[in-house]
Amino acid sequence: MRCTFCEKEAVLRLRHANLRLCPEHLVARVEKEAEKAIREFRMFTPEEKILVAVSGGKDSLGLWQILTKLGYQADGLYIHLGIEGYSQRSLEFCQEFARERGLRLEVVRLVDELGAGLDEIAKVLRGEPCAHCGAIKRYLMNRSALEGGYAALATGHNLDDEAATLLGNVLQWNLEYLARQYPVLPEGRKLARKVKPLIYVSEREMVAYCLISGIRYIYEECPHSVGARSLFLKGILNELEDRAPSTKITFLRAFLRSHHIFPRPKEEEVHDCPLCGMPTSAQGPCRFCRIRERMKHYAPA
Amino acid sequence: MVEMDGGYTLPGMVTLRRREKIFSVPEGKNLERILRDLGILPETVIVVQNGKIVPLDYRPKDGEEFELIDVISGG
């Protein structure tokens, strides 16, 4: 199998793009697709400083590599969630990545912020850890981006992530979530701009990109993700993609083209949290501060 | 095809490792066909040998070993 662009042996066939790519052209394509999304959605400019939220996985570390290769000023942020047997290992991948490339990595530890890791927080507050994890990470990522003076916070959401989220939102016909699902969420008062430069890059391309580029990442999944709905939705989309290549990209692109038809979410009445000063739509303290207050009364066994 | 828990290879067989699972399959088919026979969608894994990506149209030979890297992540 020859590369579509040169005489070299292709290692990956991308049926959705009708391409067969050698390692060099696969790397070039991934970087080009990311750059295309950055420009198309005016995510940020080379003059602006970007904070990349890294988890130690292929997408976020791959994104950090892409942004630095494209000449953007990108620092990393790792949130240590204190998940037993997982967080420390994933941190080590991020540290190794940053050290080898001379990049700056900020590490925020949940145990310093809330007095406990996610496993304990979920026990105390009850409910699924993922429900608390999302809110906690959003708060800490936003705070780090604002305090660090970054123009935008970049996350490694890829084509498969976005298509699965879209499918989930469509199945529930959740107009509010559909209106909020977009590659750029603009900055607001005390809210950092959030961007997703990998929306046109598939998970498969990202794995290949990391392997070819020598990026070591954590293969294991977060132990709390077992049985997650998003994984189930990705499975369905992969079945569809297998029968009809380009289903995922067509689904996402058509949505983005039609995004304006979804009613803009109502401007929520936002207050400043009386405890930390960050914006919140809740009356009284923000969710993060409420968790912190609850955890103050928790004494580890 | 044989799902094995040991580390040996039978003659005329090809070995594929996916995390802790080891599959031993007869040579003669290309990787895409092998994956489909194992019930694995080819789009959901990358096949690697000695750290290098192997194209799915490759036809493995007797005794060759491959690693399957899962593509899907998230939660």
PDB file of all heavy atoms in Angstrom, chain B residues 29-53:
ATOM      1  N   LYS B  29      -3.896 -14.947   6.267  1.00  0.00           N
ATOM      2  CA  LYS B  29      -4.840 -13.849   6.019  1.00  0.00           C
ATOM      3  C   LYS B  29      -4.146 -12.526   6.331  1.00  0.00           C
ATOM      4  O   LYS B  29      -3.169 -12.497   7.078  1.00  0.00           O
ATOM      5  CB  LYS B  29      -6.061 -13.983   6.929  1.00  0.00           C
ATOM      6  CG  LYS B  29      -6.910 -15.191   6.637  1.00  0.00           C
ATOM      7  CD  LYS B  29      -8.026 -15.304   7.653  1.00  0.00           C
ATOM      8  CE  LYS B  29      -8.868 -16.531   7.384  1.00  0.00           C
ATOM      9  NZ  LYS B  29      -9.826 -16.795   8.459  1.00  0.00           N
ATOM     10  N   ASN B  30      -4.678 -11.439   5.787  1.00  0.00           N
ATOM     11  CA  ASN B  30      -4.084 -10.156   6.151  1.00  0.00           C
ATOM     12  C   ASN B  30      -4.625  -9.700   7.513  1.00  0.00           C
ATOM     13  O   ASN B  30      -5.579 -10.287   8.050  1.00  0.00           O
ATOM     14  CB  ASN B  30      -4.260  -9.102   5.050  1.00  0.00           C
ATOM     15  CG  ASN B  30      -5.698  -8.639   4.889  1.00  0.00           C
ATOM     16  OD1 ASN B  30      -6.507  -8.751   5.805  1.00  0.00           O
ATOM     17  ND2 ASN B  30      -6.024  -8.121   3.714  1.00  0.00           N
ATOM     18  N   LEU B  31      -3.992  -8.656   8.052  1.00  0.00           N
ATOM     19  CA  LEU B  31      -4.330  -8.241   9.423  1.00  0.00           C
ATOM     20  C   LEU B  31      -5.782  -7.795   9.553  1.00  0.00           C
ATOM     21  O   LEU B  31      -6.426  -8.079  10.558  1.00  0.00           O
ATOM     22  CB  LEU B  31      -3.380  -7.124   9.878  1.00  0.00           C
ATOM     23  CG  LEU B  31      -1.967  -7.574  10.253  1.00  0.00           C
ATOM     24  CD1 LEU B  31      -1.048  -6.366  10.404  1.00  0.00           C
ATOM     25  CD2 LEU B  31      -1.970  -8.391  11.549  1.00  0.00           C
ATOM     26  N   GLU B  32      -6.282  -7.118   8.547  1.00  0.00           N
ATOM     27  CA  GLU B  32      -7.677  -6.658   8.632  1.00  0.00           C
ATOM     28  C   GLU B  32      -8.620  -7.860   8.765  1.00  0.00           C
ATOM     29  O   GLU B  32      -9.528  -7.869   9.592  1.00  0.00           O
ATOM     30  CB  GLU B  32      -8.056  -5.830   7.402  1.00  0.00           C
ATOM     31  CG  GLU B  32      -9.510  -5.397   7.493  1.00  0.00           C
ATOM     32  CD  GLU B  32      -9.938  -4.365   6.463  1.00  0.00           C
ATOM     33  OE1 GLU B  32      -9.078  -3.866   5.728  1.00  0.00           O
ATOM     34  OE2 GLU B  32     -11.146  -4.080   6.413  1.00  0.00           O
ATOM     35  N   ARG B  33      -8.370  -8.889   7.943  1.00  0.00           N
ATOM     36  CA  ARG B  33      -9.213 -10.088   7.975  1.00  0.00           C
ATOM     37  C   ARG B  33      -9.093 -10.794   9.337  1.00  0.00           C
ATOM     38  O   ARG B  33     -10.075 -11.243   9.924  1.00  0.00           O
ATOM     39  CB  ARG B  33      -8.790 -11.020   6.838  1.00  0.00           C
ATOM     40  CG  ARG B  33      -9.685 -12.173   6.534  1.00  0.00           C
ATOM     41  CD  ARG B  33     -11.023 -11.731   5.991  1.00  0.00           C
ATOM     42  NE  ARG B  33     -12.047 -11.790   7.036  1.00  0.00           N
ATOM     43  CZ  ARG B  33     -13.218 -11.186   6.963  1.00  0.00           C
ATOM     44  NH1 ARG B  33     -13.533 -10.454   5.946  1.00  0.00           N
ATOM     45  NH2 ARG B  33     -14.086 -11.284   7.942  1.00  0.00           N
ATOM     46  N   ILE B  34      -7.849 -10.857   9.826  1.00  0.00           N
ATOM     47  CA  ILE B  34      -7.617 -11.502  11.133  1.00  0.00           C
ATOM     48  C   ILE B  34      -8.400 -10.779  12.229  1.00  0.00           C
ATOM     49  O   ILE B  34      -9.069 -11.400  13.050  1.00  0.00           O
ATOM     50  CB  ILE B  34      -6.101 -11.521  11.466  1.00  0.00           C
ATOM     51  CG1 ILE B  34      -5.367 -12.485  10.541  1.00  0.00           C
ATOM     52  CG2 ILE B  34      -5.868 -11.895  12.929  1.00  0.00           C
ATOM     53  CD1 ILE B  34      -3.842 -12.406  10.642  1.00  0.00           C
ATOM     54  N   LEU B  35      -8.321  -9.441  12.208  1.00  0.00           N
ATOM     55  CA  LEU B  35      -9.020  -8.666  13.240  1.00  0.00           C
ATOM     56  C   LEU B  35     -10.528  -8.885  13.156  1.00  0.00           C
ATOM     57  O   LEU B  35     -11.201  -9.105  14.167  1.00  0.00           O
ATOM     58  CB  LEU B  35      -8.699  -7.170  13.095  1.00  0.00           C
ATOM     59  CG  LEU B  35      -7.270  -6.755  13.430  1.00  0.00           C
ATOM     60  CD1 LEU B  35      -7.056  -5.280  13.104  1.00  0.00           C
ATOM     61  CD2 LEU B  35      -6.942  -7.011  14.888  1.00  0.00           C
ATOM     62  N   ARG B  36     -11.047  -8.857  11.949  1.00  0.00           N
ATOM     63  CA  ARG B  36     -12.500  -9.055  11.784  1.00  0.00           C
ATOM     64  C   ARG B  36     -12.900 -10.447  12.274  1.00  0.00           C
ATOM     65  O   ARG B  36     -13.939 -10.612  12.912  1.00  0.00           O
ATOM     66  CB  ARG B  36     -12.908  -8.838  10.332  1.00  0.00           C
ATOM     67  CG  ARG B  36     -12.869  -7.374   9.924  1.00  0.00           C
ATOM     68  CD  ARG B  36     -13.534  -7.119   8.591  1.00  0.00           C
ATOM     69  NE  ARG B  36     -13.343  -5.743   8.175  1.00  0.00           N
ATOM     70  CZ  ARG B  36     -14.059  -4.701   8.618  1.00  0.00           C
ATOM     71  NH1 ARG B  36     -15.036  -4.906   9.484  1.00  0.00           N
ATOM     72  NH2 ARG B  36     -13.811  -3.484   8.183  1.00  0.00           N
ATOM     73  N   ASP B  37     -12.074 -11.450  11.969  1.00  0.00           N
ATOM     74  CA  ASP B  37     -12.376 -12.817  12.433  1.00  0.00           C
ATOM     75  C   ASP B  37     -12.369 -12.893  13.964  1.00  0.00           C
ATOM     76  O   ASP B  37     -13.065 -13.713  14.558  1.00  0.00           O
ATOM     77  CB  ASP B  37     -11.357 -13.815  11.860  1.00  0.00           C
ATOM     78  CG  ASP B  37     -11.583 -14.054  10.372  1.00  0.00           C
ATOM     79  OD1 ASP B  37     -12.633 -13.608   9.844  1.00  0.00           O
ATOM     80  OD2 ASP B  37     -10.707 -14.660   9.720  1.00  0.00           O
ATOM     81  N   LEU B  38     -11.547 -12.030  14.575  1.00  0.00           N
ATOM     82  CA  LEU B  38     -11.493 -12.008  16.047  1.00  0.00           C
ATOM     83  C   LEU B  38     -12.611 -11.157  16.641  1.00  0.00           C
ATOM     84  O   LEU B  38     -12.725 -11.029  17.864  1.00  0.00           O
ATOM     85  CB  LEU B  38     -10.139 -11.443  16.516  1.00  0.00           C
ATOM     86  CG  LEU B  38      -8.911 -12.329  16.309  1.00  0.00           C
ATOM     87  CD1 LEU B  38      -7.631 -11.536  16.591  1.00  0.00           C
ATOM     88  CD2 LEU B  38      -8.963 -13.556  17.202  1.00  0.00           C
ATOM     89  N   GLY B  39     -13.405 -10.541  15.765  1.00  0.00           N
ATOM     90  CA  GLY B  39     -14.508  -9.696  16.234  1.00  0.00           C
ATOM     91  C   GLY B  39     -14.047  -8.309  16.644  1.00  0.00           C
ATOM     92  O   GLY B  39     -14.711  -7.630  17.420  1.00  0.00           O
ATOM     93  N   ILE B  40     -12.891  -7.895  16.115  1.00  0.00           N
ATOM     94  CA  ILE B  40     -12.353  -6.568  16.450  1.00  0.00           C
ATOM     95  C   ILE B  40     -12.522  -5.662  15.226  1.00  0.00           C
ATOM     96  O   ILE B  40     -12.060  -6.022  14.132  1.00  0.00           O
ATOM     97  CB  ILE B  40     -10.866  -6.658  16.833  1.00  0.00           C
ATOM     98  CG1 ILE B  40     -10.682  -7.553  18.066  1.00  0.00           C
ATOM     99  CG2 ILE B  40     -10.271  -5.277  17.069  1.00  0.00           C
ATOM    100  CD1 ILE B  40      -9.228  -7.929  18.343  1.00  0.00           C
ATOM    101  N   LEU B  41     -13.152  -4.520  15.394  1.00  0.00           N
ATOM    102  CA  LEU B  41     -13.268  -3.578  14.278  1.00  0.00           C
ATOM    103  C   LEU B  41     -11.881  -3.010  13.984  1.00  0.00           C
ATOM    104  O   LEU B  41     -11.238  -2.471  14.886  1.00  0.00           O
ATOM    105  CB  LEU B  41     -14.208  -2.422  14.639  1.00  0.00           C
ATOM    106  CG  LEU B  41     -15.702  -2.645  14.538  1.00  0.00           C
ATOM    107  CD1 LEU B  41     -16.438  -1.355  14.899  1.00  0.00           C
ATOM    108  CD2 LEU B  41     -16.095  -3.098  13.147  1.00  0.00           C
ATOM    109  N   PRO B  42     -11.428  -3.111  12.747  1.00  0.00           N
ATOM    110  CA  PRO B  42     -10.068  -2.634  12.439  1.00  0.00           C
ATOM    111  C   PRO B  42      -9.837  -1.166  12.795  1.00  0.00           C
ATOM    112  O   PRO B  42      -8.737  -0.775  13.143  1.00  0.00           O
ATOM    113  CB  PRO B  42      -9.960  -2.848  10.922  1.00  0.00           C
ATOM    114  CG  PRO B  42     -10.958  -3.901  10.604  1.00  0.00           C
ATOM    115  CD  PRO B  42     -12.081  -3.719  11.581  1.00  0.00           C
ATOM    116  N   GLU B  43     -10.909  -0.351  12.741  1.00  0.00           N
ATOM    117  CA  GLU B  43     -10.763   1.074  13.040  1.00  0.00           C
ATOM    118  C   GLU B  43     -10.485   1.343  14.519  1.00  0.00           C
ATOM    119  O   GLU B  43     -10.121   2.453  14.877  1.00  0.00           O
ATOM    120  CB  GLU B  43     -12.052   1.818  12.657  1.00  0.00           C
ATOM    121  CG  GLU B  43     -12.349   1.839  11.178  1.00  0.00           C
ATOM    122  CD  GLU B  43     -11.450   2.780  10.413  1.00  0.00           C
ATOM    123  OE1 GLU B  43     -11.163   3.866  10.924  1.00  0.00           O
ATOM    124  OE2 GLU B  43     -11.015   2.410   9.310  1.00  0.00           O
ATOM    125  N   THR B  44     -10.686   0.325  15.356  1.00  0.00           N
ATOM    126  CA  THR B  44     -10.581   0.574  16.794  1.00  0.00           C
ATOM    127  C   THR B  44      -9.212   0.205  17.384  1.00  0.00           C
ATOM    128  O   THR B  44      -9.020   0.349  18.589  1.00  0.00           O
ATOM    129  CB  THR B  44     -11.671  -0.196  17.576  1.00  0.00           C
ATOM    130  OG1 THR B  44     -11.469  -1.601  17.361  1.00  0.00           O
ATOM    131  CG2 THR B  44     -13.057   0.184  17.111  1.00  0.00           C
ATOM    132  N   VAL B  45      -8.321  -0.290  16.539  1.00  0.00           N
ATOM    133  CA  VAL B  45      -6.968  -0.623  17.022  1.00  0.00           C
ATOM    134  C   VAL B  45      -5.913  -0.190  16.014  1.00  0.00           C
ATOM    135  O   VAL B  45      -6.212   0.029  14.838  1.00  0.00           O
ATOM    136  CB  VAL B  45      -6.789  -2.151  17.270  1.00  0.00           C
ATOM    137  CG1 VAL B  45      -7.614  -2.625  18.453  1.00  0.00           C
ATOM    138  CG2 VAL B  45      -7.104  -2.954  16.027  1.00  0.00           C
ATOM    139  N   ILE B  46      -4.694  -0.076  16.517  1.00  0.00           N
ATOM    140  CA  ILE B  46      -3.536   0.121  15.637  1.00  0.00           C
ATOM    141  C   ILE B  46      -2.643  -1.088  15.883  1.00  0.00           C
ATOM    142  O   ILE B  46      -2.410  -1.467  17.034  1.00  0.00           O
ATOM    143  CB  ILE B  46      -2.776   1.416  15.989  1.00  0.00           C
ATOM    144  CG1 ILE B  46      -3.682   2.631  15.779  1.00  0.00           C
ATOM    145  CG2 ILE B  46      -1.463   1.516  15.259  1.00  0.00           C
ATOM    146  CD1 ILE B  46      -3.359   3.532  14.634  1.00  0.00           C
ATOM    147  N   VAL B  47      -2.183  -1.690  14.812  1.00  0.00           N
ATOM    148  CA  VAL B  47      -1.328  -2.871  14.943  1.00  0.00           C
ATOM    149  C   VAL B  47       0.136  -2.423  14.902  1.00  0.00           C
ATOM    150  O   VAL B  47       0.542  -1.671  14.017  1.00  0.00           O
ATOM    151  CB  VAL B  47      -1.604  -3.889  13.817  1.00  0.00           C
ATOM    152  CG1 VAL B  47      -0.780  -5.154  14.032  1.00  0.00           C
ATOM    153  CG2 VAL B  47      -3.084  -4.229  13.749  1.00  0.00           C
ATOM    154  N   VAL B  48       0.875  -2.889  15.898  1.00  0.00           N
ATOM    155  CA  VAL B  48       2.262  -2.446  16.051  1.00  0.00           C
ATOM    156  C   VAL B  48       3.188  -3.660  16.144  1.00  0.00           C
ATOM    157  O   VAL B  48       2.830  -4.681  16.749  1.00  0.00           O
ATOM    158  CB  VAL B  48       2.393  -1.569  17.325  1.00  0.00           C
ATOM    159  CG1 VAL B  48       3.842  -1.271  17.646  1.00  0.00           C
ATOM    160  CG2 VAL B  48       1.617  -0.275  17.158  1.00  0.00           C
ATOM    161  N   GLN B  49       4.333  -3.537  15.510  1.00  0.00           N
ATOM    162  CA  GLN B  49       5.368  -4.573  15.643  1.00  0.00           C
ATOM    163  C   GLN B  49       6.704  -3.870  15.867  1.00  0.00           C
ATOM    164  O   GLN B  49       7.087  -3.002  15.058  1.00  0.00           O
ATOM    165  CB  GLN B  49       5.422  -5.417  14.362  1.00  0.00           C
ATOM    166  CG  GLN B  49       6.306  -6.649  14.486  1.00  0.00           C
ATOM    167  CD  GLN B  49       6.316  -7.463  13.206  1.00  0.00           C
ATOM    168  OE1 GLN B  49       6.427  -6.901  12.110  1.00  0.00           O
ATOM    169  NE2 GLN B  49       6.205  -8.780  13.329  1.00  0.00           N
ATOM    170  N   ASN B  50       7.360  -4.217  16.939  1.00  0.00           N
ATOM    171  CA  ASN B  50       8.631  -3.569  17.310  1.00  0.00           C
ATOM    172  C   ASN B  50       8.522  -2.043  17.298  1.00  0.00           C
ATOM    173  O   ASN B  50       9.401  -1.349  16.779  1.00  0.00           O
ATOM    174  CB  ASN B  50       9.757  -4.012  16.367  1.00  0.00           C
ATOM    175  CG  ASN B  50       9.941  -5.519  16.387  1.00  0.00           C
ATOM    176  OD1 ASN B  50       9.838  -6.149  17.438  1.00  0.00           O
ATOM    177  ND2 ASN B  50      10.176  -6.099  15.216  1.00  0.00           N
ATOM    178  N   GLY B  51       7.429  -1.536  17.818  1.00  0.00           N
ATOM    179  CA  GLY B  51       7.240  -0.088  17.932  1.00  0.00           C
ATOM    180  C   GLY B  51       6.813   0.598  16.655  1.00  0.00           C
ATOM    181  O   GLY B  51       6.605   1.815  16.643  1.00  0.00           O
ATOM    182  N   LYS B  52       6.689  -0.150  15.562  1.00  0.00           N
ATOM    183  CA  LYS B  52       6.318   0.464  14.271  1.00  0.00           C
ATOM    184  C   LYS B  52       4.886   0.050  13.900  1.00  0.00           C
ATOM    185  O   LYS B  52       4.474  -1.097  14.126  1.00  0.00           O
ATOM    186  CB  LYS B  52       7.261  -0.016  13.169  1.00  0.00           C
ATOM    187  CG  LYS B  52       8.723   0.417  13.355  1.00  0.00           C
ATOM    188  CD  LYS B  52       9.020   1.525  12.372  1.00  0.00           C
ATOM    189  CE  LYS B  52      10.468   1.954  12.284  1.00  0.00           C
ATOM    190  NZ  LYS B  52      11.172   2.218  13.492  1.00  0.00           N
ATOM    191  N   ILE B  53       4.160   0.978  13.279  1.00  0.00           N
ATOM    192  CA  ILE B  53       2.784   0.677  12.863  1.00  0.00           C
ATOM    193  C   ILE B  53       2.818  -0.240  11.640  1.00  0.00           C
ATOM    194  O   ILE B  53       3.590  -0.015  10.698  1.00  0.00           O
ATOM    195  CB  ILE B  53       2.024   1.971  12.520  1.00  0.00           C
ATOM    196  CG1 ILE B  53       2.002   2.912  13.720  1.00  0.00           C
ATOM    197  CG2 ILE B  53       0.595   1.662  12.059  1.00  0.00           C
ATOM    198  CD1 ILE B  53       1.484   4.308  13.418  1.00  0.00           C
TER     199      ILE B  53
END
